Amino acid sequence: AFPKRVKVVEVGPRDGLQNEKNVVPTAVKINLINMLSETGLQVIEATSFVSPKWVPQMADHTEVMQGINKLPGISYPVLTPNLKGFQAAVAAGAKEVSIFGAASELFTKKNINCSIEESLERFDEVMAAARAASIPVRGYVSCVLGCPYEGKISAAKVAEVSKKMYSMGCYEISLGDTIGIGTPGSMKEMLTAVMKEVPVGALAVHCHDTYGQALANILVALQMGVSVVDASVAGLGGCPYAQGASGNVATEDLVYMLNGLGIHTGVDLQKLMDTGTFICNALNRRTNSKVSQASCRL
Amino acid sequence: QESQASGLPEYIKIVEVGPRDGLQNEKVIVPTDIKIELINRLSKTGLPAIEVTSFVSSKWVPQMADHKEVMRGIERHPGVQYPVLTPNLQGFHSAIAAGATEVSVFGAASESFSKMNINCSIEESIEKFEEIAKSARNMDIPVRGYVSCALGCPYEGNIIPAKVAEVSKRLYSMGCYEISLGDTIGVGTPGSMKRMLEAVMKEIPLSALAVHCHDTYGQALANILTAIQMGVAVVDSSVAGLGGCPYAKGATGNVATEDVIYMLNGLGINTGVNLYTVMETGNFICTALNKKTNSKVAQASFNTGTI
């Protein structure tokens, strides 16, 4: 049986835009988030308090955080890679933060130049500061169904890292199929292992559609009781590991499926599509959402 | 082993509809020799069934005007079926004369769609198919039945599962060995797929059912997964996702064979098909058509240089 309600976590403004080639003006980012706030989405990942040297797209994090309309009942988490970022985020008005771990040693080394163990130790400081400030922390685990460098990733490893992050105090663990190679088979195997260590109510899935498998993978996760799903409006965000390939699953396509299953999301699909149209025009690109593609011509 | 433990079929038959359903819905008219080469390449991938062409009047479907030449021109690999569409008795005889050894007939679960598509009611179309089925039976030619609009109709909107079951049963009773249930405009979701299959499975044995999902709303793989979880073991798809949607301009149509196989491989389900050779074939036809592939697996694989 499927969950009756699913919380959709919108990652377009952060994960989506971060992986788009064109740098988006601050005003456009703010308008995007404001439009998303009108769709019924309860969680919108706004930006990343990372050094602009590393991620130029997110250089305006403070302006974005201060510039958006923060509607009551909506959460606007931001990424914080370290204590400095956390402090800057809180100073800019953030009320929820996210930290990023990975289930692959090689990925962690290439990405942030340290081991998984070391990366989690760095977050100890963030966790302590967050606890002191009563700021909830969401934990991401990357490469849960495969790694661009290591290839296959064991389900046990994903469970181990997830457990660590949950024990550190993350209220939710978002399991990311970073390169989209997972299938319903590997999703099931991975979730079975993770659910032994982390309660299913604290789990989310973050599927990439690089191999077209995202909705099928999400379906399996729902069947296993997961009720939080990450997605990106218009499927913003390519895959940095496969040039020209797609990345995030499109929020419109996800909501279409959930609507068809009679699962409540609170999201207005038409308003979501309108938001997707806005950002695609601003980015001068076509949407990655099939629902959007089909609907605009009917 | 893996698929058994999960209750999924151990083997799934993939019916490749690219050369017919795919090309029929592509704008560019494809030369006969390209069609033949496409089919010959597909024959080498391990696909057990390849829908070759349609013996329909060239007035209606110019893309399929070369049906005789294609039928006669292709290599016939042992163990591979090469069905062709036959909309009426005349088309059936023409197909047999050209060497066809299996045919398909197309019904619909929607009266409006039937009227708009083939200019007659469902009942009238069934009567035509019964003529074909009778001749086919006399000649030991297997007949596959398609039911369009199984999860929704571009004119009528919602289609009730009972209607799909009724039309399927008529086709099965007249002798179709397999019924392919088509989500013609791709509006279906796992919810509507489940309800429709539950109704149809009351009338038709599971082993005689196939699903033909369109990916117009990105739901195809999720819908196919739902079907195979219910025991369906035959899936239609189109190499490179050839074939747009005639009802939503610019939107996609058929689900890509590559993406289906990728999912089934990941589930430990045997198909007998070599994904890499299908991707190469997809690359061939997309180059010939001067278009980008609709297969995400192909897009991702050719860009990283890995499979």
Side-chain angles (χ1 to χ4, degrees):
Chain A
F2 291 106
K4 288 199 164 66
R5 320 178 78 91
V6 162
K7 179 174 87 175
V8 176
V9 174
E10 172 60 46
V11 301
R14 204 284 308 168
D15 192 358
L17 293 184
Q18 186 168 315
N19 286 297
E20 287 289 327
K21 288 190 307 287
N22 302 327
V23 176
V24 176
T26 306
V28 172
K29 287 190 180 110
I30 288 171
N31 198 27
L32 169 64
I33 294 166
N34 288 344
M35 285 185 82
L36 288 167
S37 290
E38 302 288 336
T39 62
L41 284 161
Q42 292 171 271
V43 186
I44 302 164
E45 196 175 66
T47 186
S48 179
F49 280 78
V50 66
S51 159
K53 194 171 38 148
W54 295 121
V55 187
Q57 180 77 278
M58 299 285 127
D60 54 3
H61 39 66
T62 303
E63 294 91 323
V64 170
M65 201 63 213
Q66 288 174 339
I68 57 176
N69 295 336
K70 295 207 192 77
L71 268 52
I74 301 181
S75 190
Y76 300 91
V78 300
L79 245 71
T80 51
N82 48 40
L83 188 62
K84 186 165 154 215
F86 175 82
Q87 287 160 342
V90 174
K95 298 268 185 293
E96 180 176 327
V97 302
S98 307
I99 61 171
F100 258 80
S104 157
E105 289 290 355
L106 214 47
F107 185 85
T108 305
K109 194 125 200 107
K110 295 244 180 192
N111 233 27
I112 51 178
N113 201 25
C114 64
S115 69
I116 297 177
E117 185 69 41
E118 285 164 346
S119 77
L120 296 181
E121 272 164 26
R122 286 183 196 177
F123 287 129
D124 274 339
E125 304 183 291
V126 176
M127 297 311 297
R131 209 164 320 132
S134 291
I135 300 246
V137 181
R138 188 187 212 227
Y140 281 91
V141 182
S142 302
C143 297
V144 301
L145 298 178
C147 169
Y149 311 107
E150 283 187 25
K152 196 171 196 306
I153 295 292
S154 82
K157 189 71 185 176
V158 181
E160 183 196 316
V161 177
S162 303
K163 182 180 182 171
K164 232 32 219 281
M165 294 182 82
Y166 186 67
S167 308
M168 283 166 72
C170 293
Y171 77 93
E172 195 168 88
I173 307 294
S174 175
L175 303 162
D177 182 12
T178 306
I179 48 172
I181 61 171
T183 61
S186 55
M187 172 64 85
K188 188 170 188 213
E189 194 192 330
M190 184 275 295
L191 282 176
T192 302
V194 175
M195 279 162 62
K196 289 194 181 109
E197 309 293 348
V198 181
V200 70
L203 291 178
V205 288
H206 183 111
C207 296
H208 278 196
D209 204 39
T210 318
Y211 290 79
Q213 308 294 305
L215 285 188
N217 292 343
I218 289 166
L219 186 68
V220 163
L222 295 172
Q223 287 173 336
M224 293 176 75
V226 172
S227 63
V228 184
V229 182
D230 300 359
S232 176
V233 62
L236 291 179
C239 180
Y241 305 98
Q243 227 226 33
S246 61
N248 287 299
V249 69
T251 313
E252 298 93 317
D253 300 359
L254 169 66
V255 171
Y256 184 91
M257 182 173 82
L258 296 175
N259 284 351
L261 280 163
I263 294 173
H264 182 257
T265 61
V267 180
D268 181 321
L269 182 54
Q270 186 56 58
K271 287 189 178 155
L272 189 59
M273 287 197 284
D274 293 343
T275 308
T277 301
F278 160 74
I279 191 62
C280 286
N281 286 342
L283 281 166
N284 192 27
R285 59 158 286 175
R286 295 187 63 192
T287 182
N288 267 340
S289 155
K290 289 212 165 169
V291 169
S292 226
Q293 264 173 260
S295 306
C296 66
R297 314 293 180 134
L298 275 172
Chain B
Q1 334 76 301
E2 196 189 312
S3 65
Q4 254 186 320
S6 55
L8 298 171
E10 275 179 50
Y11 170 79
I12 286 186
K13 178 175 102 176
I14 307 249
V15 175
E16 171 61 46
V17 301
R20 204 282 307 167
D21 193 0
L23 294 184
Q24 184 166 317
N25 287 297
E26 289 288 332
K27 292 189 304 284
V28 176
I29 298 280
V30 178
T32 307
D33 60 333
I34 301 278
K35 288 190 179 108
I36 289 171
E37 183 167 353
L38 170 64
I39 295 163
N40 289 345
R41 282 174 181 246
L42 289 167
S43 290
K44 298 190 178 109
T45 61
L47 283 162
I50 302 164
E51 197 175 64
V52 168
T53 186
S54 181
F55 280 77
V56 66
S57 159
S58 49
K59 192 171 40 144
W60 295 121
V61 187
Q63 179 79 278
M64 300 285 128
D66 55 2
H67 39 66
K68 288 201 192 78
E69 293 89 329
V70 171
M71 198 68 222
R72 292 204 186 106
I74 56 171
E75 291 164 9
R76 307 278 282 260
H77 289 234
V80 182
Q81 296 163 291
Y82 297 94
V84 300
L85 242 72
T86 53
N88 48 41
L89 200 56
Q90 190 193 8
F92 174 79
H93 289 311
S94 187
I96 300 303
T101 50
E102 181 177 326
V103 301
S104 307
V105 296
F106 255 79
S110 154
E111 285 293 354
S112 310
F113 187 85
S114 193
K115 261 238 133 39
M116 298 289 269
N117 223 32
I118 52 177
N119 203 24
C120 63
S121 68
I122 297 178
E123 188 61 42
E124 286 163 345
S125 74
I126 298 274
E127 280 162 20
K128 281 190 202 166
F129 302 146
E130 269 165 354
E131 294 185 311
I132 296 173
K134 193 159 163 225
S135 291
R137 204 183 0 252
N138 292 339
M139 304 176 69
D140 271 327
I141 298 272
V143 182
R144 187 186 211 228
Y146 281 90
V147 181
S148 302
C149 298
L151 298 179
C153 169
Y155 312 107
E156 284 180 21
N158 198 31
I159 294 292
I160 61 167
K163 189 71 185 176
V164 182
E166 182 197 317
V167 176
S168 303
K169 185 175 185 175
R170 290 296 294 276
L171 290 171
Y172 187 68
S173 306
M174 76 171 67
C176 292
Y177 77 93
E178 196 167 87
I179 308 299
S180 174
L181 304 162
D183 182 11
T184 305
I185 47 170
V187 290
T189 62
S192 57
M193 171 63 84
K194 181 161 197 251
R195 282 190 299 274
M196 185 274 293
L197 283 176
E198 277 167 351
V200 175
M201 278 159 62
K202 289 194 181 110
E203 309 290 349
I204 315 267
L206 197 46
S207 57
L209 289 179
V211 288
H212 183 112
C213 297
H214 279 196
D215 203 37
T216 318
Y217 290 78
Q219 309 295 304
L221 285 189
N223 292 342
I224 289 167
L225 180 64
T226 300
I228 67 179
Q229 283 178 340
M230 292 173 76
V232 171
V234 183
V235 177
D236 299 359
S237 60
S238 177
V239 62
L242 289 179
C245 181
Y247 305 97
K249 208 179 105 107
T252 58
N254 287 300
V255 68
T257 305
E258 297 92 317
D259 300 359
V260 172
I261 292 174
Y262 185 90
M263 181 173 80
L264 298 179
N265 284 352
L267 282 162
I269 294 173
N270 183 35
T271 61
V273 183
N274 182 317
L275 175 55
Y276 192 74
T277 53
V278 175
M279 282 200 284
E280 285 188 314
T281 306
N283 196 34
F284 158 76
I285 191 62
C286 287
T287 305
L289 282 166
N290 193 27
K291 64 166 278 183
K292 289 186 69 182
T293 182
N294 271 336
S295 157
K296 288 212 164 170
V297 170
Q299 262 173 260
S301 306
F302 285 122
N303 286 314
T304 54
T306 57
I307 304 311

